[in-house]
Amino acid sequence: MYHSVQFISLGPGDPELVTIKALKALRQADAIFYPATINSAGQTISRALDILVHLEIPSDKLYPFNVPMNKNRSLAIEAYEKASAKIGNEQQKGSKTAVVAEGDAGFYSSIHYIYDNLILKRIPVEHIAGVPAFIACGALAGIHIAKQEEELIVIPGIVTEDELSIHLQSGKTIVIMKVSQCCDAIKSIIKNQPQPTYHYFENAGVAGKEYYTNNKNDIQSRTIPYFSLMIIKS
Ligand code: SAH
């Protein structure tokens, strides 16, 4: 009997924000594939692995797949194709196979490449929903991300100051993901348009690494890491 490949959402970093459904699926899986990156110092880093270890998922069923943190998307696509082949083979052996992703597995998650690949190969897939980072960030700041008739716009990284300015004028709440891709635009708009509240987050929910501020000077002096996010409320 063949099982669907499960795409399991791990939440943004706090192991307690994994759903009960995700935890059950992780415990029942035979093979769990998780994304990992090799940094410039040659170390393997994986937020997903950190969460899996916290949840005491046995290491003998964990398999990393390498995700190059390179601007060259074709390298990443190649890596995802390789991973898809391995995952497909595992599923074809009859194993309960899972792929994990930080936050929600269907929200700006690059594992969509694997998901789409498996669908092309007619391998059944299933998605277990999870808490996306921006929701956890809103809770961390104690803010209501959107209320009443307010509209929300999510920008996945690259944005110019002019584009941000247009969104701000419309009164929409803005979520910016991958802030590290648009540091200059953000720092500049904070300087030129000080009226809105800029909520800035790093590593929400990650013990010892979590950071939050809405102080404009503190944001200006910050070196922006990959796991950072901003919520702007006009
Ligand atoms: N699937 C994820 C998003 C992956 S894209 C989700 O549902 O949230 C990667 C981006 O998500 C990062 O650049 C950052 O903007 C955001 N992110 C993920 N985890 C985060 C965390 N713990 N704290 C702050 N931002 C985070």
Side-chain angles (χ1 to χ4, degrees):
M1 164 179 167
Y2 293 118
H3 304 276
S4 303
V5 175
Q6 289 187 308
F7 284 74
I8 304 178
S9 306
L10 294 180
D14 177 350
E16 293 195 354
L17 285 183
V18 171
T19 65
I20 294 171
K21 186 166 182 166
L23 186 57
K24 270 191 191 160
L26 290 169
R27 287 182 174 154
Q28 286 168 4
D30 300 312
I32 300 170
F33 291 82
Y34 65 91
T37 311
I38 299 171
N39 71 9
S40 47
Q43 299 156 312
T44 301
I45 37 174
S46 172
R47 167 71 43 89
L49 179 62
D50 295 344
I51 300 171
L52 294 168
V53 168
H54 255 99
L55 296 173
E56 299 180 351
I57 304 301
S59 59
D60 60 355
K61 62 180 188 180
L62 302 181
Y63 301 93
F65 58 88
N66 183 33
V67 183
M69 270 294 170
N70 198 295
K71 291 241 156 60
N72 179 350
R73 287 315 287 163
S74 65
L75 276 181
I77 290 169
E78 202 178 298
Y80 286 116
E81 268 169 13
K82 268 195 197 157
S84 307
K86 276 194 202 157
I87 291 160
N89 287 342
E90 197 61 42
Q91 188 267 356
Q92 290 293 304
K93 284 198 268 175
S95 305
K96 287 187 182 149
T97 311
V99 186
V100 295
E102 300 104 0
D104 178 75
F107 189 71
Y108 294 110
S109 177
S110 41
I111 62 165
H112 76 83
Y113 287 117
I114 300 179
Y115 194 90
D116 296 344
N117 245 306
L118 296 180
I119 287 176
L120 273 178
K121 293 182 187 158
R122 299 186 187 281
I123 292 175
V125 290
E126 198 184 315
H127 171 186
I128 296 179
V131 179
F134 79 95
I135 293 291
C137 288
L140 173 59
I143 56 171
H144 211 97
I145 294 174
K147 51 187 169 218
Q148 304 281 346
E149 308 303 320
E150 282 174 3
E151 290 181 26
L152 175 69
I153 166 162
V154 181
I155 298 172
I158 297 160
V159 67
T160 64
E161 185 178 351
D162 287 347
E163 286 163 347
L164 274 178
S165 189
I166 292 168
H167 292 311
L168 278 178
Q169 278 162 23
S170 71
K172 289 176 186 162
T173 299
I174 306 173
V175 168
I176 306 174
M177 317 208 20
K178 303 180 191 166
V179 180
S180 56
Q181 292 182 346
C182 53
C183 301
D184 292 347
I186 285 178
K187 290 189 175 179
S188 172
I189 201 156
I190 293 175
K191 198 167 71 193
N192 296 329
Q193 296 198 39
Q195 311 83 352
T197 310
Y198 296 87
H199 300 274
Y200 171 73
F201 309 86
E202 291 172 12
N203 299 301
V206 182
K209 289 190 178 166
E210 182 174 86
Y211 177 81
Y212 162 66
T213 187
N214 60 15
N215 178 297
K216 295 180 183 70
N217 292 330
D218 290 347
I219 302 172
Q220 292 293 5
S221 60
R222 212 69 198 164
T223 307
I224 315 254
Y226 176 71
F227 283 107
S228 60
L229 193 145
M230 179 163 269
I231 301 177
I232 312 176
K233 297 227 57 160
S234 33

